[in-house]
Amino acid sequence: MWSVVKRDLAAVFERDPAATGLIEVVLTYSGFHAVLLHRVSHPLWRLGIPLVPRLLSQLGRLLTGVEIHPGARIGPGFFIDHGMGVVIGETTEIGESVIVFQGVTLGGTGKERGKRHPTLGNHVVVGAGAKVLGPITIGDHVKIGANSVVLRPVPPHSTVVGIPGKIIKGEADSPETTLNHTQLPDPVSERLHALLALEPGTEGTRKVLA
């Protein structure tokens, strides 16, 4: 487990330019605290030990504002940035080197049993406030824009924006590339511009949209 924790620590320094020292991260980063508690509670959950894993999960929620069910499977290098309000459901599976921001929900869509939460691949970035719901698969190197609601599977190397989330195919990115919200496309605006381009006499409307 120690090797996994070291990967989690390394992810903080790789992804957060505000992280200036090991002691600062260990003592003050609530996202790291939540993940560390999960690293303890998950093996206990898999061993079938009653109550203790859930108590650790609730302790993590009380101390950090992050709720991770002990049944969730989380790969190494997981980083929760400004973690308040993050919720990760029981059957969630998360790959390596994934980053999520505040207010993210990896949840279900109903009271069904079995696999009911999402599976995230490697090097996925989930923006602040985004909701990824249901037993869907998010491919490797996917970027999900802030406040997007993702209800359908997403292929690798894509960007998702909007409500419901719209998939925008992108170029293959390196694992170090993060989500730049200032450069996200607006598929609704693009569609409106495309429609207006087909209609005569809409020059004024196009100027307003621009």
Side-chain angles (χ1 to χ4, degrees):
M1 184 176 73
W2 176 237
S3 62
V4 175
V5 173
K6 287 199 296 184
R7 288 278 303 276
D8 295 336
L9 272 172
V12 176
F13 291 100
E14 291 168 3
R15 300 299 186 95
D16 186 0
T20 58
L22 179 62
I23 294 177
E24 176 193 8
V25 170
V26 171
L27 294 180
T28 67
Y29 273 57
S30 59
F32 174 73
H33 299 158
V35 175
L36 184 61
L37 278 170
H38 179 74
R39 298 299 185 199
V40 176
S41 66
H42 180 66
L44 300 178
W45 174 269
R46 297 191 65 181
L47 288 172
I49 296 175
L51 190 58
V52 175
R54 292 304 303 270
L55 287 175
L56 288 173
S57 173
Q58 291 302 300
L59 176 63
R61 177 183 179 183
L62 177 66
L63 295 176
T64 68
V66 175
E67 182 176 346
I68 307 176
H69 193 284
R73 298 184 180 184
I74 300 177
F78 182 54
F79 177 37
I80 302 175
D81 196 3
H82 300 289
M84 181 63 68
V86 170
V87 177
I88 300 175
E90 177 186 3
T91 60
T92 300
E93 298 176 52
I94 298 175
E96 298 185 13
S97 301
V98 171
I99 177 172
V100 303
F101 290 84
Q102 68 271 19
V104 165
T105 298
L106 306 178
T109 56
K111 295 183 178 181
E112 68 277 6
R113 295 186 179 274
K115 175 64 172 169
R116 59 191 186 279
H117 300 102
T119 296
L120 275 61
N122 302 321
H123 306 288
V124 173
V125 180
V126 187
K131 315 301 177 188
V132 186
L133 306 177
I136 60 176
T137 298
I138 307 300
D140 296 344
H141 300 279
V142 165
K143 297 175 178 61
I144 299 174
N147 292 317
S148 298
V149 178
V150 184
L151 304 173
R152 299 180 183 277
V154 180
H157 300 287
S158 299
T159 298
V160 182
V161 295
I163 304 174
K166 296 175 178 59
I167 298 171
I168 300 166
K169 195 68 176 178
E171 297 296 330
D173 294 319
S174 66
E176 294 77 19
T177 303
T178 55
L179 187 60
N180 188 341
H181 283 91
T182 63
Q183 297 179 1
L184 287 179
D186 184 348
V188 175
S189 176
E190 291 174 358
R191 183 65 59 85
L192 286 173
H193 278 288
L195 290 173
L196 289 170
L198 300 176
E199 294 290 334
T202 58
E203 291 78 6
T205 305
R206 284 199 293 271
K207 290 180 180 178
V208 171
L209 287 173

